[in-house]
Amino acid sequence: MTTARGNTVLLLALAALTTSGCDPQARGFSLPPGDANKGLTTFQELQCNQCHSIPKLIKKRYDSLYPDVEIALGGPVHRVKTYGELVTAIIHPGKAVSRPVPEAAMTDEDTSIMPIYNGAMTVEQLVDLTTFLQQTYELQVPPYTPYMH
């Protein structure tokens, strides 16, 4: 059974996804600014480090319920992680798998073992968590290689 708070989070996330890649102000929609420090607190409260680590910041718990699963978040990337991608990864984790994950992170039905937090997370927590995660990625511009014809 879905809660009203879960429905609110889902509706907000869907609205954010429809504007990802666009100027939110031009579309008449914007999310309130998030607080990365509160996002870190949410990351810890929801025990995201049962499976996730963030290089140089958060280590995976090795007393985890899933000792064979470690999925690193953040770090150097060659393209920006959009707000919409991060929101999707939080509210619909099986949909957002973008790189090889340990087999232990998937169920027999080929879905993510990550719990669905839609009914347990407030909109503020979602915004703060996404803001926190965005800052953990470091855009690495590939070196320029001139094309010789």
Side-chain angles (χ1 to χ4, degrees), residues 15-86:
L17 292 174
T18 63
T19 62
S20 63
C22 302
D23 177 9
Q25 298 300 330
R27 306 277 295 187
F29 177 83
S30 66
L31 294 171
D35 182 320
N37 289 328
K38 288 181 180 178
L40 170 59
T41 300
T42 297
F43 189 93
Q44 293 166 332
E45 286 174 351
L46 296 177
Q47 299 182 24
C48 299
N49 63 340
Q50 286 278 335
C51 294
H52 296 290
S53 63
I54 298 175
K56 302 178 187 174
L57 188 60
I58 298 174
K59 294 184 180 194
K60 178 192 179 298
R61 290 177 44 179
Y62 285 97
D63 62 343
S64 166
L65 297 173
Y66 307 102
D68 297 334
V69 177
E70 182 167 359
I71 300 169
L73 304 175
V77 292
H78 291 288
R79 87 175 179 75
V80 175
K81 297 285 186 185
T82 68
Y83 197 90
E85 288 172 320
L86 293 171

